[in-house]
Amino acid sequence: MDPAEERNWILQKLNIGKELLYLTLEDVIKTGVQIEDILALTRSALIAHGKKEYEMPAKIGVHPYAEVFYHAMPAYVPSENAVGLKWIECYPSNPSRFKLPQTTGLLALNDVESGCPLAIMDATWITAMRTPAVTVLAARALHPGAETFGMFGCGVQGIEHCRFVVHTLEKLKKIYVYDKSEEAMENLVNTVQPQIDIEIIRGKDPETVTKNCEVMSSATVILQEQLSVVRDEWVSSGQTILPCDLNTFWDPATARRADKYIVDSAEEHRLFAEMGYFPEGLPEITCETGEVLAGATPGREAPEELIVCSNIGMAVCDVVVGKEVFRRALEKEMGCILPL
Ligand SMILES: NC(=O)c1ccc[n+]([C@@H]2O[C@H](COP(=O)([O-])OP(=O)(O)OC[C@H]3O[C@@H](n4cnc5c(N)ncnc54)[C@H](O)[C@@H]3O)[C@@H](O)[C@H]2O)c1
C-alpha cells in the first residue's frame, strides 16, 4: 500500500499522536501471520538490506551480568514504510533458573510521517519466527538441492527451524536434530513431526549429525567462550553451515577455512568481535546474506565450496514483520488501544 494511503487507513482505526496499539504475545500470534508471510516479509527485508536501502545502526547494549545482554535494535526500511526499535534481552540461564525463555523483548513501531509511536508489541514470537526465516532463506540461496538438514539445539529456535526449513529446501528428505538435553530433543520431535512430512531423526551425537547433513544450523547459546562442540575435522567441503548463535557452537577453525564466510550484518559481527565474542579473531567476511538474496553477490559458485553463513539477527527483519503484525491487528481490531 502507498504510505499516504496506509496512513489514512491507520487514522481510521488509531488516533496517531494521541493513541498507540498494545499487543500481547497472544495477540501477536492471533493476528494470523503465517510461515509463508514471514518468509516473504523477511525476504523483502533481507533484499532491502542487500541493496543498502535501509538504516540500521549496529546494536548497542547493556550487560548487567556476564553472558547476558540487552540490545537496542532500531531500523528503518523505506520500501516497507517500517520504522521502529526492538528492545531484546538474552539470559541463557532463564530456562533452568526461572522456566522462562532465554530471549524476550518488546518492539516499538512509529509513524514514519510524524514519528509518533504507533504500537508496542511483544517481540518474542517475532524473534522466534524471523530468525529461522533468515536461516532457511539463506539455505535455499546457498544450497537449494540439499536433501539433509541438521539442527543443533532443540529449543524455541530449533523447533521453528524444523517447521520452516521444509518450506524452502524442496528436495529435503531427512532432518537430523541434536540437543544435549534428551527432553528438548523429544519435545521437538513430538511437536514438529506431526506437522511435517519429512522424517526427523534424533542424532546420536554431534559428530553423526555433522557427517550426515549437507546443511546445518545451530541455535544453542551465545557465549564469548568457544564451545567447539562440532570439531572442524567432522566438517567437509560442500557443506553449508548457518549458525544463529554466532561463533559459540562450532570450532572456529571451520569458519576460518571456509571458502565463504557470509554474515547477515558485517557491522554487527565487527561489533560483537570488539566485545570479545571472537577470541580467535573474526574470520574474513565474504559478503552479507542480503546481498546474496538480492543477487548483488554470488552465493554458492561450486558444489565443493564450504560455506559458513552466520546470521546474528537484524532489526530490519523485526520492523518489517512487526509492521505486518500491526496492520493485521488493526484490521481485526485486536489488542488494546492506549492513550499516549
Ligand atoms: N540469530 C538470531 O537472530 C537469534 C534470535 C533468537 C535467538 N538466537 C539465539 O539462539 C539460541 C537459542 O535460542 P532459543 O530461544 O532457541 O533458546 P532455548 O533455550 O529455547 O534452546 C536452546 C537449546 O540449546 C540446547 N543447548 C545448549 N547448549 C548446548 C550444547 N552445548 N549442545 C547441544 N545443545 C545445547 C539447550 O539444551 C536448549 O534445548 C540462543 O543462543 C539465542 O541467543 C539467535
Side-chain angles (χ1 to χ4, degrees), residues 153-280:
C154 297
V156 174
Q157 287 296 334
I159 288 175
E160 296 307 335
H161 272 70
C162 293
R163 280 169 11 98
F164 271 71
V165 73
V166 297
H167 290 259
T168 61
L169 291 183
E170 286 167 9
K171 303 260 163 59
L172 200 61
K173 293 200 172 112
K174 282 182 182 153
I175 297 176
Y176 289 81
V177 297
Y178 176 77
D179 197 294
K180 64 177 185 181
S181 152
E182 276 290 332
E183 198 187 332
M185 263 197 287
E186 178 92 9
N187 180 48
L188 183 150
V189 176
N190 291 342
T191 308
V192 186
Q193 190 65 89
Q195 301 175 18
I196 64 171
D197 294 332
I198 309 293
E199 184 189 5
I200 306 178
I201 299 161
R202 262 176 261 200
K204 187 161 64 77
D205 50 44
E207 182 176 358
T208 317
V209 175
T210 308
K211 290 185 171 170
N212 273 296
C213 294
E214 292 157 280
V215 175
M216 290 170 278
S217 180
S218 58
T220 57
V221 282
I222 297 177
L223 304 171
Q224 295 194 1
E225 176 197 351
Q226 305 266 193
L227 297 179
S228 299
V229 176
V230 176
R231 296 215 212 115
D232 186 46
E233 61 262 31
W234 303 338
V235 176
S236 26
S237 59
Q239 288 183 306
T240 303
I241 299 171
L242 301 136
C244 299
D245 42 14
L246 218 57
N247 59 321
T248 311
F249 196 74
W250 306 81
D251 186 334
T254 302
R256 272 204 308 274
R257 77 173 168 94
D259 297 290
K260 291 193 167 109
Y261 181 64
I262 301 171
V263 298
D264 54 355
S265 162
E267 196 184 347
E268 300 283 3
H269 278 72
R270 287 190 196 109
L271 185 75
F272 272 98
E274 278 167 28
M275 291 191 284
Y277 279 88
F278 291 87
E280 303 201 10

